Amino acid sequence: MRILVTGSAGFIGFHLARRLLEAGHDVVGVDGFTPYYDRTLKLKRHEILAQSQSFTGCEAMLEDLPALQDIYGEGYDAVYHFAAQAGVRYSLENPRAYVDANLVGTFNLLELMRHKPPAHALMASTSSVYGANASVPFREIDRADHPLTFYAASKKANEEMAHAYGHLFGIPITMLRFFTVYGPWGRPDMALFKFAAALFEGRPLDIYNRGDMRRDFTYIDDLVEAMILLLEKVPPAPSRRQSAPSEIDSLSPTAPWRVVNIGAQTPIALMDFVAAIEAATGLRAACNFMDMQEGDVPLTHADTRLLIQLTGFTPRTTLQDGVNAFIAWYRAYFGL
Ligand SMILES: NC(=O)c1ccc[n+]([C@@H]2O[C@H](COP(=O)([O-])OP(=O)(O)OC[C@H]3O[C@@H](n4cnc5c(N)ncnc54)[C@H](O)[C@@H]3O)[C@@H](O)[C@H]2O)c1
């Protein structure tokens, strides 16, 4: 297949593109190499992908419609859309970046897909859309109408924009709600990377909400596996359905569109996460206990029954194995 991956120099896009190349697909990767975090890391990820002759890397911002139009050309068999301004906390500082990348950028991509639709588009959303939801685990069919950050609001808007385009123009779209993804080549603004950096530099770790937080940490290889399996699970248009969707299926009544959680379904307490990093590094952490950050939630917990129903897959990497793999990569990358 010919597959477009947006955000291919990012953490998740890089890993997914690498897996697609290994499986023999032709991959075109587009990334704007934004300065939100170290560009060198992004350049190195693209260098690895470029070792495959089946990879074409392009530098462009999604907001640049003519550039994106050139890359989109006659279209693709499938599209994975990851390029976005990510990060919950940064959306308090610079909300406009989220309007530009997530709203305008995603709109541009939808417009191109409208005229030359892929057989399936899979687009990144986030557990943050569950916002103030108190009922756990989070189910795709639950209402998610009370975002706590502008990041979450922009991702929820992406889900709705995709639904409208799916309904109007018949583009089959799966929205993927990710839960705190971690692993080698991870993001420097996320907890694992920040904690590792602090530990190796002998600084205390900033622990929010005094450690009273739990996250459904998802290992990158598990996430990639789930996304590869979902590629074949194209949401059917209403006229093509042989039976009614199951009661946990988020399939739209009017569009070839659904939302799927991808999480480990095992919330981990923050201090257990810290203990796993200590075990992996052999270093003892000093902790700087702080208050909850604005817009943060104390718990994320995925209900993954829909993922299992569709793919039979359930994440299997233990936290300690995943953290060990990250620390091994971190040491090699920084020559420690
Ligand atoms: N990592 C997680 O835990 C997590 C959790 C929930 C959702 N997500 C979502 O998954 C997707 C991928 O996340 P990630 O962790 O790989 O983040 P990332 O920041 O590593 O990757 C995003 C990539 O998109 C590129 N980009 C940003 N704005 C762009 C623009 N306007 N035009 C072109 N390229 C642009 C960046 O340069 C970057 O390489 C994002 O949509 C993010 O919101 C991630």
Side-chain angles (χ1 to χ4, degrees):
M1 279 203 229
R2 255 188 106 239
I3 301 178
L4 178 68
V5 177
T6 77
S8 49
F11 169 41
I12 295 173
F14 158 69
H15 280 280
L16 194 269
R18 195 156 65 162
R19 254 308 278 286
L20 292 173
L21 291 165
E22 281 165 13
H25 297 291
D26 286 327
V27 175
V28 173
V30 55
D31 202 292
F33 294 90
T34 61
Y36 172 59
Y37 65 77
D38 185 17
R39 271 175 59 98
T40 316
L41 191 56
K42 299 183 183 186
L43 290 166
K44 289 204 169 138
R45 295 185 187 124
H46 248 213
E47 267 170 39
I48 293 174
L49 297 178
Q51 287 165 8
S52 164
Q53 297 201 331
S54 307
F55 180 72
T56 308
C58 310
E59 178 164 356
M61 294 296 282
L62 299 181
E63 300 89 307
D64 182 351
L65 184 57
L68 198 59
Q69 227 153 7
D70 267 0
I71 294 161
Y72 197 79
E74 291 308 304
Y76 292 86
D77 299 316
V79 172
Y80 282 94
H81 175 41
F82 302 115
Q85 178 57 58
V88 170
R89 286 158 198 154
Y90 186 63
S91 69
L92 275 79
E93 271 170 55
N94 185 7
R96 190 169 298 279
Y98 296 74
V99 173
D100 294 343
N102 303 3
L103 301 184
V104 179
T106 301
F107 166 69
N108 283 347
L109 183 64
L110 286 169
E111 265 295 288
L112 294 171
M113 293 201 292
R114 162 185 179 173
H115 297 292
K116 287 162 189 139
H120 192 186
L122 300 98
M123 308 183 31
S125 185
T126 168
S127 61
S128 297
V129 301
Y130 290 108
N133 282 23
S135 135
V136 284
F138 299 149
R139 300 181 307 171
E140 295 91 340
I141 52 168
D142 288 342
R143 285 179 63 179
D145 298 334
H146 302 108
L148 298 177
T149 59
F150 195 69
Y151 167 63
S154 74
K155 286 290 184 177
K156 186 70 193 327
N158 283 170
E159 294 185 357
E160 317 289 14
M161 289 155 69
H163 184 275
Y165 268 60
H167 170 70
L168 292 169
F169 310 117
I171 314 164
I173 302 179
T174 300
M175 298 300 310
L176 309 165
R177 289 184 182 159
F178 302 151
F179 285 68
T180 320
V181 188
Y182 73 102
W185 294 97
R187 262 171 43 202
D189 62 321
M190 292 185 69
L192 181 52
F193 206 116
K194 289 204 286 194
F195 288 170
L199 258 181
F200 284 117
E201 288 160 25
R203 288 184 284 111
L205 280 49
D206 287 342
I207 306 284
Y208 292 105
N209 206 30
R210 301 179 191 283
D212 186 14
M213 280 214 268
R214 286 188 295 152
R215 287 286 177 275
D216 204 342
F217 289 103
T218 312
Y219 188 61
I220 185 68
D221 290 357
D222 288 332
L223 182 85
V224 166
E225 181 71 25
M227 292 194 291
I228 297 279
L229 293 168
L230 284 169
L231 178 59
E232 305 301 324
K233 303 295 166 187
V234 182
S239 59
R240 301 227 176 116
R241 290 177 199 163
Q242 266 130 40
S243 53
S246 74
E247 61 183 26
I248 56 164
D249 200 338
S250 55
L251 199 57
S252 159
T254 64
W257 177 102
R258 66 155 65 90
V259 164
V260 182
N261 286 339
I262 310 181
Q265 209 176 2
T266 315
I268 305 279
L270 189 51
M271 295 318 289
D272 291 340
F273 188 56
V274 171
I277 304 170
E278 288 181 323
T281 55
L283 299 169
R284 229 37 225 119
C287 294
N288 179 22
F289 291 104
M290 302 169 74
D291 290 337
M292 182 86 138
Q293 284 210 318
E294 232 178 317
D296 242 346
V297 292
L299 169 69
T300 65
H301 185 179
D303 182 327
T304 57
R305 283 177 299 158
L306 180 56
L307 175 68
I308 295 167
Q309 183 177 289
L310 292 170
T311 65
F313 177 74
T314 189
R316 51 181 162 238
T317 309
T318 65
L319 179 74
Q320 193 63 62
D321 285 350
V323 169
N324 289 349
F326 173 82
I327 295 296
W329 168 79
Y330 188 94
R331 282 186 195 276
Y333 185 79
F334 290 106
L336 299 172

